[in-house]
Amino acid sequence: MSDENVPSPTAPEPPRSGAASCLLGVLGCGGVVLVGVVVLIAALAWKSSGSTDFPRVAPEEMADRAVQRSEEAYRVLGFTRTVPPGVRKLGVSTRNTLGSSPCYDGGLLGLADETIDGAYSMSHSWALDQVPESQAVPGLRALHRSLEDDGWKITSFDEGEQGDSWDLFVQRDDGKERMSFTWYPDREYFTGGASVPCAYDPEWTEGEDTPGDGLEPPALGAAPRG
């Protein structure tokens, strides 16, 4: 065979260096990671913004809602005494008070958690002294069944043993609304409380205290509320 008929060998493709392959791989993975991070940030930011989407409601209305929850539970528990507003001696005397707490933004990505101007959460606390076991135990069991039937989530129900306290904790609306009840057998003392979701005070102005501070509840158990 003549030299003219011998095919010239094809030059092999130069191998890609290890450094180049590694660089391209890193860039590819980095791009995927970057997209994932952006998506995560957007999702968390959306969730955080939704946590401050409160209704605009006057504190008096939200306070009435908290008291209403307590009134409903009070009747199911079977209590008939009228509890005046206020408290003489905390942990000993009867109690019937309202409280207002600031609401927090949850913080973008959980890096901060600051109060929201004009936002508040109302709560109602009450207590009875001289509550014997014959009244507290069947009352709590009846309330447990009633709240569960009404769609409340029972987060804890502890039937006290050997003199321990009895506790009932419930919530609904993803925990935005809560109630708690405790009976202390050693001193026959019964406490209850209800908190309602956050809201914006439509009348709030810059520099004012937390909306709802200083509100006083009506007498508890005086009459059924509509």
Side-chain angles (χ1 to χ4, degrees):
M1 181 180 296
S2 64
D3 292 340
E4 290 81 5
N5 294 328
V6 177
S8 59
T10 303
E13 182 180 350
R16 183 176 296 172
S17 69
S21 299
C22 181
L23 178 59
L24 290 175
V26 169
L27 290 175
C29 293
V32 173
V33 171
L34 180 60
V35 171
V37 170
V38 171
V39 171
L40 177 61
I41 290 175
L44 290 175
W46 175 85
K47 183 177 181 181
S48 177
S49 65
S51 67
T52 61
D53 187 20
F54 307 139
R56 298 177 63 83
V57 185
E60 291 80 5
E61 184 175 338
M62 296 304 283
D64 187 70
R65 179 172 169 180
V67 172
Q68 177 72 22
R69 296 287 177 265
S70 292
E71 286 279 7
E72 293 167 354
Y74 196 80
R75 292 197 296 271
V76 174
L77 285 162
F79 297 137
T80 57
R81 272 190 282 170
T82 298
V83 184
V87 55
R88 294 191 306 276
K89 190 173 182 180
L90 194 63
V92 177
S93 67
T94 61
R95 178 180 182 179
N96 178 14
T97 58
L98 282 169
S100 177
S101 303
C103 295
Y104 295 84
D105 59 10
L108 180 61
L109 303 182
L111 299 179
D113 195 15
E114 299 182 355
T115 59
I116 304 171
D117 290 343
Y120 67 96
S121 175
M122 295 301 304
S123 60
H124 178 245
S125 299
W126 59 271
L128 280 178
D129 56 352
Q130 301 177 16
V131 180
E133 180 178 355
S134 60
Q135 187 174 23
V137 170
L140 276 169
R141 287 173 174 164
L143 183 61
H144 174 273
R145 292 190 299 269
S146 176
L147 292 175
E148 195 169 37
D149 290 343
D150 286 344
W152 289 81
K153 178 182 178 181
I154 310 298
T155 57
S156 177
F157 182 47
D158 185 13
E159 297 190 356
E161 297 180 357
Q162 298 180 348
D164 292 336
S165 64
W166 286 58
D167 302 293
L168 173 60
F169 299 94
V170 301
Q171 67 176 35
R172 67 180 178 186
D173 193 16
D174 294 327
K176 296 176 184 176
E177 195 164 3
R178 299 171 181 268
M179 287 196 290
S180 63
F181 309 89
T182 300
W183 177 62
Y184 302 92
D186 58 336
R187 47 197 173 103
E188 297 189 334
Y189 196 67
F190 198 107
T191 66
S195 63
V196 292
C198 288
Y200 285 112
D201 180 4
E203 302 297 328
W204 184 86
T205 57
E206 188 71 29
E208 289 185 344
D209 294 333
T210 302
D213 278 347
L215 290 180
E216 188 174 275
L220 179 67
R225 297 167 62 87

